[in-house]
Amino acid sequence: MRIAMWSGPRNLSTAMMYAFANRRDFAAVDEPFYASYLAATGLEHPMRAEILAAQPQDPDAVAAALTGPVPGGKAHFYQKHMTHHVFTGMPWAWMDDMVNLFLLRHPARVIASYAAKRENPTLDDIGFWQQAELFDHIESARGKAVIVDSHDIREDPEGMLRALCAEIGLAFDPAMLSWPAGGKACDGVWAPHWYGAVWSSTGFAGREGPLPEVPAALQTVLDGAMPHYARLAALALKPE
């Protein structure tokens, strides 16, 4: 099984990657299109030079690796993808060979978390409209895509992961519920900038508190993201 998990940034995506990578039967890869996205767009991101040096910049080469032999000879392959890494000219046909999953988080939480690491995020930065476009494409091409909300995972990690595994025909493994603290072999080169909190974790964080207040300067970003989030959240898988 090859899983493509499509998420925006600051969205429990790294913890989910760790959950699958902690299984003995899974290989995992972290944001494999990041370098090709930066090369294609010319955007300035933290650790840009290191990212460009660490990954292939040709998106076709990335797609070939994702559909080629599974690293380490593992039975399954978990691929953590950022929805905003989809850009004009990127290949899409490879997605048809994947079990495509979508990981959501309320935009107010995403904006607050992202702004703490990179000032003034835009709607393009946080990936919600891209996530909706990808979902529609995959539903049209394959007839099936699965959505999970990070809020539900943090409320009931075991229940949600059991439900997710059942939905995609994968046996649940309790190893998904915890992992060693610190960096992981699957981490991208950018991990030191972004992954401080998850490196200190040994499992999913607990229940979330009230929604954070979004600064007035970022209200238009929240307003632009909310319709996409609300549409997909209404279709999200619930625990068993």
Side-chain angles (χ1 to χ4, degrees):
M1 178 181 295
R2 296 170 194 262
I3 295 174
M5 175 67 89
W6 296 99
S7 169
R10 317 308 292 168
N11 200 15
L12 205 71
S13 57
T14 305
M16 284 292 284
M17 178 177 71
Y18 287 0
F20 279 89
N22 206 46
R23 296 175 57 126
R24 292 182 180 274
D25 56 349
F26 265 87
V29 65
D30 194 6
E31 302 181 28
F33 285 101
Y34 200 170
S36 56
Y37 163 74
L38 292 180
T41 62
L43 290 171
E44 289 295 332
H45 274 213
M47 301 185 69
R48 172 184 165 87
E50 292 88 343
I51 296 165
L52 290 173
Q55 292 181 321
Q57 297 180 26
D58 177 1
D60 291 314
V62 176
L66 297 177
T67 55
V70 178
K74 301 286 188 175
H76 308 299
F77 194 7
Y78 185 91
Q79 303 166 8
K80 171 193 165 191
H81 295 287
M82 293 286 103
T83 57
H84 62 287
H85 290 174
V86 177
F87 55 89
T88 301
M90 174 181 163
W92 285 43
W94 65 273
M95 301 176 194
D96 294 344
D97 295 324
M98 305 291 151
V99 174
N100 288 279
L101 310 181
F102 289 80
L103 179 63
L104 305 179
R105 192 183 189 195
H106 193 286
R109 299 190 191 280
V110 172
I111 291 167
S113 180
Y114 193 100
K117 289 287 186 179
R118 184 166 181 249
E119 291 182 359
N120 301 319
T122 68
L123 187 61
D124 287 349
D125 289 329
I126 59 175
F128 282 91
W129 68 263
Q130 300 97 318
Q131 194 169 40
E133 279 196 359
L134 276 166
F135 176 79
D136 291 341
H137 165 77
I138 289 165
E139 283 274 290
S140 174
R142 298 203 57 186
K144 177 78 170 176
V146 180
I147 300 171
V148 289
D149 195 309
S150 63
H151 172 83
D152 296 331
I153 296 169
R154 288 183 57 171
E155 286 280 313
D156 181 8
E158 182 170 350
M160 275 305 305
L161 290 176
R162 284 186 178 276
L164 177 58
C165 288
E167 184 71 15
I168 64 176
L170 178 71
F172 172 73
D173 185 340
M176 301 174 74
L177 298 175
S178 62
W179 46 82
K184 310 293 184 291
C186 57
D187 287 338
V189 69
W190 53 88
H193 181 82
W194 294 101
Y195 293 178
V198 73
W199 274 1
S200 67
S201 75
T202 57
F204 290 100
R207 294 179 175 179
E208 295 178 307
L211 288 176
E213 185 174 344
V214 173
L218 295 174
Q219 185 64 45
T220 57
V221 178
L222 176 63
D223 292 342
M226 276 303 300
H228 304 297
Y229 169 75
R231 178 168 74 90
L232 296 184
L235 304 173
L237 183 71
K238 294 303 177 183
E240 294 179 324

